[in-house]
Amino acid sequence: MHVSLPNPGRITTFLTADEEAQDIRKTEDEANAVHFFLFINPHSGDQQGAQILNLNLGLICFKSLPNVQVHVYSLVDDTECGNGLATAKTIMAHKEQLGLNPQIHICCAGGDGSLTGLLPKIEDRGMDVNNILFSLLPFGTGNDLARFLGTWSIDKKAAKDIMRSGHLRHLVYKQIRGRPVRLDVWNIHVTTFEGGSIRPVSQKRQVDEEDFPSEMVQKLLNNGAIGAQCYVGGDAERLRTDNRVANIASYTIQTIKWGLFKSFSSVTSMLDRIEQFGDVVAYVRQDKYRKRRFSISNGRSLSSVGDTKTLDDTDHHTNEHEDDPATKLRPVIINSDAIELVFQNIPSLWGRMLNLWNKAESGSAIDLGDADHHTSIAEGVDPSKWHKQESFDGEFELFILENKLSYVKKELAINRTDLARIGHFKQASIVFRNLNEGQNNPSIPKRMQSSFSLKGQSQPYRESRKDSVRIMMDGEFFIVHKPKAIDITFWKQINIMGPPDENVDCEADLSSEASEGEEAPSS
């Protein structure tokens, strides 16, 4: 029985010995339970996640999985998502206080960008990702990460009709019994020149430039791109519906439209160089693009140089060991035109398992220049040291698609053994040219200024190919006006669940458990 004594301002409750023992057992049972936090994006795919959220349940328990507690939260409601992460952090701390393994499961039900969007919130709360097993319920359209993990093919039937008997339990159980895979996570920092902005492709144009941020920071797990695919996918994104099949059809139509009837801008004509840890490791020969009205960027551009001596004499292009000639880095030259630049963490692209890097038998987008015993090229851009792509090696890969023919061939699997590769990178800054500095720049002869710079005042709220580019990061598309740089740095590795081991028969386990009773959701 409970005995309460009056106390000014509060009521103190005393428990009998039996009640206290029962309370302790309940606390220990909760601490020993498998806590599975399910964060749902109700807008992904066919909106299967909305069916779960509409039940208005905070906690789901299954009779056949008595030791599993499924905590349900919306991913798109910031308050609810924050409450879910706060609860998860509290449970982790409680487990640790009891001397138990503080590990919990965090699962994102949505598309490729769902987990990407959740990770910064986990970072902001100081949660230790080493004590979190991440997983995905593939509710999106492309599901690149689920395809790479190997869970898409075995999850898609259950994910399609999530509320049918046992399907939700089936997905949760498989994620718990899955095999952890190590996965690199990257920080992406996009910056713009003065007057620049970044906005989602799906967002309507605004007249006031101040409505849009001038820089953006987010995580990357899968892949990113600049150029062609961003126009195809971005236009499909603008026509997104609540039906996954319709979205796939829209993407196919946009691929045909751009592939046959529209032209892609040259990405390399907008790029200046690629840096790694402050050293220039690759640059674009800008003299190829003088007729494209581009300018030299703040004296740091390599547009007017064409030999190693000039590069070595420029302070910005030598490394920290410049006193030792043997340690000087010689940048390679990106000598291929490109309609798309891809930075890839996992071998999955365009909603398919396109393992382009590992299947490449030939192809390079770089010119090593003249060999010199006083200089060397960075290891990552040395073709003799290129190796197999992995998702947990602390590196990402950069390559380009040279033209529309190359793009179509890889889409149709006609030729995927030839790839214009740039290299492996542990960190990189993809630096753009300042396209509005040509006029009145004393470093450029007046006779050339009109051919380098943009004419007329650009309209910042309009998407112009002269001073704007589309980028994609984990399935999210953006228009960047006056792009300055995309900085890619390593964040951490996380554990994410792949399929169960082959000797684990989830179907058999579920069949035997189902005989004990169907799931019993409770709030």
Side-chain angles (χ1 to χ4, degrees):
M1 62 177 289
H2 291 277
V3 180
S4 299
L5 298 177
N7 195 356
R10 65 179 182 180
I11 295 178
T12 303
T13 301
F14 297 93
L15 300 178
T16 65
D18 289 342
E19 288 174 332
E20 186 173 355
Q22 184 178 357
D23 190 57
I24 292 174
R25 284 195 299 271
K26 182 179 179 182
T27 301
E28 290 177 347
D29 288 343
E30 288 182 352
N32 282 306
V34 176
H35 291 275
F36 190 93
F37 286 82
L38 181 59
F39 291 90
I40 298 173
N41 183 351
H43 307 306
S44 294
D46 292 325
Q47 297 191 331
Q48 306 97 308
Q51 300 177 44
I52 303 174
L53 290 177
N54 288 341
L55 294 175
N56 200 29
L57 300 176
L59 184 67
I60 296 178
C61 298
F62 303 106
K63 290 181 179 178
S64 55
L65 302 174
N67 197 39
V68 177
Q69 296 184 12
V70 182
H71 307 260
V72 182
Y73 297 93
S74 170
L75 184 62
V76 298
D77 185 320
D78 289 338
T79 301
E80 186 173 328
C81 182
N83 291 338
L85 292 176
T87 301
K89 186 176 181 179
T90 300
I91 290 175
M92 293 170 70
H94 182 54
K95 282 172 168 279
E96 200 163 17
Q97 288 174 357
L98 295 176
L100 302 173
N101 184 351
Q103 197 171 70
I104 63 170
H105 290 257
I106 288 183
C107 178
C108 280
D112 287 321
S114 297
L115 181 54
T116 304
L118 184 63
L119 286 175
K121 299 177 182 179
I122 291 175
E123 180 183 26
D124 290 343
R125 283 163 177 78
M127 301 173 68
D128 187 357
V129 295
N130 293 316
N131 291 326
I132 300 174
L133 292 174
F134 291 94
S135 57
L136 293 173
L137 297 191
F139 289 174
T141 302
N143 300 299
D144 280 333
L145 186 52
R147 293 174 192 273
F148 162 72
L149 293 170
T151 58
W152 165 242
S153 59
I154 56 179
D155 285 352
K156 59 183 178 181
K157 181 179 179 181
K160 183 178 180 180
D161 198 354
I162 192 66
M163 299 310 294
R164 292 195 66 175
S165 62
H167 281 187
L168 178 59
R169 180 194 60 194
H170 170 82
L171 289 171
V172 170
Y173 184 74
K174 280 204 305 181
Q175 301 301 341
I176 293 173
R177 297 294 296 272
R179 173 179 45 83
V181 175
R182 297 292 286 173
L183 181 67
D184 295 333
V185 182
W186 302 86
N187 281 320
I188 308 292
H189 184 198
V190 184
T191 55
T192 61
F193 287 105
E194 184 178 357
S197 65
I198 304 167
R199 68 176 172 90
V201 169
S202 57
Q203 188 171 340
K204 293 182 179 179
R205 296 174 180 173
Q206 301 289 333
V207 174
D208 190 355
E209 180 73 358
E210 294 180 356
D211 290 343
F212 304 121
S214 59
E215 62 180 316
M216 176 177 65
V217 178
Q218 74 172 58
K219 297 288 187 282
L220 180 94
L221 292 93
N222 306 350
N223 52 71
I226 307 168
Q229 190 62 24
C230 309
Y231 290 94
V232 174
D235 282 4
E237 184 71 17
R238 286 174 169 169
L239 302 174
R240 175 175 287 276
T241 68
D242 298 338
N243 185 284
R244 180 176 180 271
V245 174
N247 292 334
I248 294 175
S250 174
Y251 175 84
T252 303
I253 292 171
Q254 294 302 324
T255 301
I256 295 173
K257 183 178 75 172
W258 279 92
L260 297 179
F261 307 112
K262 303 188 77 172
S263 61
F264 295 111
S265 299
S266 170
V267 171
T268 41
S269 68
M270 300 186 71
L271 294 179
D272 189 76
R273 62 191 182 274
I274 298 174
E275 298 178 4
Q276 183 170 228
F277 301 118
D279 296 320
V280 178
V281 296
Y283 71 96
V284 178
R285 290 288 290 269
Q286 292 190 14
D287 54 347
K288 295 172 59 177
Y289 303 108
R290 285 179 179 173
K291 295 182 179 180
R292 295 180 181 272
R293 303 177 182 174
F294 293 130
S295 68
I296 295 177
S297 306
N298 299 325
R300 296 176 59 177
S301 172
L302 298 174
S303 59
S304 59
V305 303
D307 57 59
T308 304
K309 182 178 184 298
T310 309
L311 292 174
D312 289 343
D313 290 341
T314 305
D315 290 341
H316 178 71
H317 302 299
T318 57
N319 65 9
E320 59 183 354
H321 307 292
E322 57 183 4
D323 293 334
D324 182 3
T327 62
K328 287 184 178 180
L329 288 180
R330 182 179 78 252
V332 299
I333 303 167
I334 301 176
N335 60 3
S336 298
D337 283 328
I339 60 171
E340 181 169 358
L341 172 68
V342 179
F343 37 102
Q344 191 171 34
N345 187 43
I346 62 172
S348 183
L349 191 67
W350 305 338
R352 282 165 289 166
M353 275 300 295
L354 296 185
N355 197 348
L356 296 179
W357 183 278
N358 289 344
K359 289 185 177 180
E361 299 174 359
S362 61
S364 171
I366 59 178
D367 181 352
L368 301 184
D370 296 330
D372 186 341
H373 66 279
H374 292 300
T375 61
S376 62
I377 62 175
E379 182 175 338
V381 294
D382 184 348
S384 67
K385 297 180 180 179
W386 286 344
H387 53 80
K388 182 180 179 181
Q389 180 186 29
E390 300 284 0
S391 65
F392 51 85
D393 57 2
E395 295 182 331
F396 63 91
E397 284 64 39
L398 270 176
F399 59 87
I400 64 174
L401 301 180
E402 308 98 304
N403 49 51
K404 193 181 294 186
L405 180 61
S406 173
Y407 172 74
V408 172
K409 282 183 175 181
K410 288 172 176 57
E411 279 274 14
L412 300 178
I414 296 175
N415 179 11
R416 293 179 180 169
T417 59
D418 184 78
L419 186 67
R421 294 165 286 182
I422 296 177
H424 306 275
F425 291 84
K426 300 179 185 298
Q427 181 275 337
S429 294
I430 301 170
V431 183
F432 294 83
R433 305 177 196 170
N434 188 342
L435 308 184
N436 293 284
E437 272 198 343
Q439 292 182 338
N440 302 319
N441 188 332
S443 65
I444 305 177
K446 287 189 175 181
R447 68 180 184 275
M448 295 174 58
Q449 287 183 13
S450 61
S451 65
F452 270 96
S453 60
L454 291 169
K455 292 183 177 180
Q457 181 65 34
S458 63
Q459 295 178 299
Y461 55 88
R462 296 187 61 187
E463 181 183 4
S464 167
R465 294 198 194 181
K466 291 182 179 180
D467 59 356
S468 297
V469 66
R470 287 194 191 182
I471 66 173
M472 182 276 294
M473 291 179 287
D474 283 356
E476 303 293 325
F477 299 89
F478 302 90
I479 298 171
V480 184
H481 175 59
K482 296 184 179 179
K484 183 177 182 180
I486 298 177
D487 296 312
I488 309 173
T489 56
F490 181 80
W491 180 54
K492 292 179 179 180
Q493 279 191 345
I494 63 172
N495 286 305
I496 188 165
M497 305 304 280
D501 291 330
E502 294 181 0
N503 59 348
V504 176
D505 190 345
C506 292
E507 294 295 335
D509 288 347
L510 285 172
S511 298
S512 61
E513 290 166 353
S515 64
E516 301 174 13
E518 283 297 316
E519 60 261 39
S522 60
S523 59

